[in-house]
Amino acid sequence: MAFSLSNWTERHLQRKSLLSDAIIGAIHWLDPWTVADPGALVAAYAQSFSESGGRILQADIKSVQQVRDRWQVNTASETVEADEVVVALGPWAGSWLKELGYHFPTFVKRGYHMHYASQASAKLNFWVMDAEVGYLLAPMNAGIRLTTGAELDRLDAPADVNQLGAAEKVARSVFPLGERRDEVPWKGARPCLPDMKPVIGPAPRHPGLWLAFGHGHQGFTLGPATGHLMAEMMEGQPTSIDMAPFRADRF
Ligand SMILES: Cc1cc2nc3c(=O)[nH]c(=O)nc-3n(C[C@H](O)[C@H](O)[C@H](O)COP(=O)(O)OP(=O)(O)OC[C@H]3O[C@@H](n4cnc5c(N)ncnc54)[C@H](O)[C@@H]3O)c2cc1C
């Protein structure tokens, strides 16, 4: 088995002999950054946005249309008008943009996760990635999270939890995981484009329409950077980096 270990994981777990002897080698990452509760971080972003004067409207969008120079976003209960609109619909962006005549080659890499207790006093201090089998164990506020690699299937295909079950079997031979903590595995979809880079920037044929999607495996990490770059572009300022690799018209 080939593994990546964060430095503290290696020091703590190997000292206590909690990692299996089946591990014959590892890459030792010295300074990984992690988030123990991603949902709480996103909630904090939302709160910060509201406190800065932003309005958050949670609703199912039925349609988006351009009427003269304005954009209309229609939900079941109201129509919101704006000079500019950002389509940041992750895995759903591609199908929405078809209605406006854009055909991006979007696809998804689906994935699952499950939280576990630890057996007895076993503690996972930092993350461990099994690159050979393709899963990651990470200590989160909700428990030890096992996250799977990529499952190639349609966005709307039913969940197939075999991948998680297979990874769990191997993971249990590596670290003393306890019982499952979630009733059902969480299922998500990584929004991808063939060059594995996002689209960030103006829509080629619609003034006032901006695109930010396709962040693949790194959207949680890259979201704030994308927001920053999008703000620079929409304000007509020089951008912090060259945006050419992310242009919509590369497809
Ligand atoms: C198993 C797994 C593990 C991952 N691990 C990491 C990681 O460790 N680090 C990392 O950086 N990234 C990770 N990712 C990737 C990350 O989750 C995505 O890249 C990111 O969520 C994409 O963000 P987004 O805002 O573009 O799309 P999303 O987060 O999918 O948001 C799109 C939003 O659009 C909304 N929406 C869609 N249609 C409508 C509609 N009609 N009306 C209103 N709302 C609508 C959806 O409800 C959703 O909230 C992982 C993904 C998976 C599946």
Side-chain angles (χ1 to χ4, degrees):
M1 292 184 184
F3 274 78
S4 291
L5 303 178
S6 52
N7 53 337
W8 284 97
T9 311
E10 185 179 51
R11 204 178 303 162
H12 286 241
L13 294 187
Q14 288 196 335
R15 192 175 54 201
K16 294 180 188 171
S17 301
L18 292 176
L19 282 182
S20 157
D21 292 343
I23 300 169
I24 56 167
I27 296 171
H28 190 166
W29 294 92
L30 297 176
D31 55 356
W33 284 37
T34 60
V35 175
D37 189 343
L41 180 59
V42 174
Y45 292 154
Q47 188 181 343
S48 166
F49 176 71
S50 297
E51 287 170 1
S52 308
R55 177 188 169 214
I56 295 177
L57 168 65
Q58 276 187 302
D60 194 4
I61 298 166
K62 303 293 180 196
S63 64
V64 178
Q65 62 198 110
Q66 197 172 26
V67 180
R68 290 177 290 282
D69 289 342
R70 299 271 289 168
W71 286 93
Q72 289 184 348
V73 178
N74 303 304
T75 74
S77 58
E78 66 178 304
T79 295
V80 180
E81 285 203 18
D83 293 331
E84 296 177 291
V85 165
V86 180
V87 174
L89 289 168
W92 295 272
S95 54
W96 269 93
L97 288 165
K98 276 183 195 155
E99 290 177 22
L100 293 168
Y102 297 101
H103 296 272
F104 290 97
T106 52
F107 64 100
V108 291
K109 292 195 199 176
R110 306 193 329 170
Y112 303 84
H113 73 230
M114 168 60 69
H115 293 106
Y116 300 83
S118 304
Q119 283 182 35
S121 60
K123 186 161 183 261
L124 185 67
N125 292 299
F126 284 88
W127 58 266
V128 180
M129 185 173 83
D130 181 344
E132 190 175 319
V133 176
Y135 68 89
L136 186 133
L137 291 177
M140 310 292 279
N141 289 354
I144 296 179
R145 179 180 290 185
L146 190 162
T147 301
T148 66
E151 177 198 49
L152 294 172
D153 206 340
R154 296 188 330 272
L155 178 60
D156 57 357
D160 177 357
V161 294
N162 289 324
Q163 185 197 29
L164 180 78
E168 178 185 323
K169 202 170 160 192
V170 180
R172 286 188 182 283
S173 72
V174 166
F175 180 84
L177 291 174
E179 74 275 11
R180 287 184 170 202
R181 285 193 167 166
D182 307 322
E183 274 182 28
V184 290
W186 175 87
K187 173 167 74 69
R190 304 170 180 95
C192 300
L193 289 155
D195 58 4
M196 292 308 293
K197 293 198 301 271
V199 166
I200 307 171
R205 297 187 298 279
H206 290 82
L209 181 66
W210 297 84
L211 309 176
F213 64 92
H215 290 70
H217 290 250
Q218 289 96 25
F220 175 72
T221 311
L222 294 177
T226 294
H228 184 83
L229 293 164
M230 189 63 80
E232 289 175 339
M233 284 186 287
M234 293 174 77
E235 292 291 323
Q237 296 169 2
T239 48
S240 302
I241 58 168
D242 176 14
M243 297 307 293
F246 310 107
R247 290 170 62 103
D249 62 7
R250 72 185 191 271
F251 295 106

